[in-house]
Amino acid sequence: MGGGTSTDLDNSGASFLSNDIKYGDIVRNITDGSYAYVVSVDGNTQITTTSLTGGGDNTWTSGDAYAFHTLPRSLVGTD
């Protein structure tokens, strides 16, 4: 679970460095449906992202669930 601002994701339980998170990776705020790109990994528990976009409040809020390396939008289609 994360918290922070529209561009700072802080999570005391995270391991961003250990999990090889890098510049340009997509990070999705699952809670509000927004997404951003990693700008810098500032430590094992903090990253800076581009501004969140496409979601309900576009802010990293305490308790938000997030995921890396996922599609920023859900795809719906038929064959």
Side-chain angles (χ1 to χ4, degrees):
M1 301 289 182
T5 67
S6 64
T7 60
D8 293 321
L9 172 59
D10 302 311
N11 184 344
S12 60
S15 50
F16 298 128
L17 292 170
S18 303
N19 287 320
D20 206 27
I21 302 304
K22 295 188 182 336
Y23 170 84
D25 286 348
I26 295 173
V27 57
R28 183 171 174 224
N29 182 328
I30 295 169
T31 303
D32 84 343
S34 59
Y35 70 95
Y37 296 90
V38 174
V39 173
S40 62
V41 179
D42 306 315
N44 216 28
T45 62
Q46 181 180 2
I47 62 171
T48 301
T49 67
T50 59
S51 293
L52 286 161
T53 187
D57 67 5
N58 298 323
T59 302
W60 294 112
T61 305
S62 181
D64 281 353
Y66 59 88
F68 290 91
H69 312 295
T70 64
L71 292 174
R73 302 273 189 227
S74 295
L75 299 177
V76 177
T78 57
D79 215 3

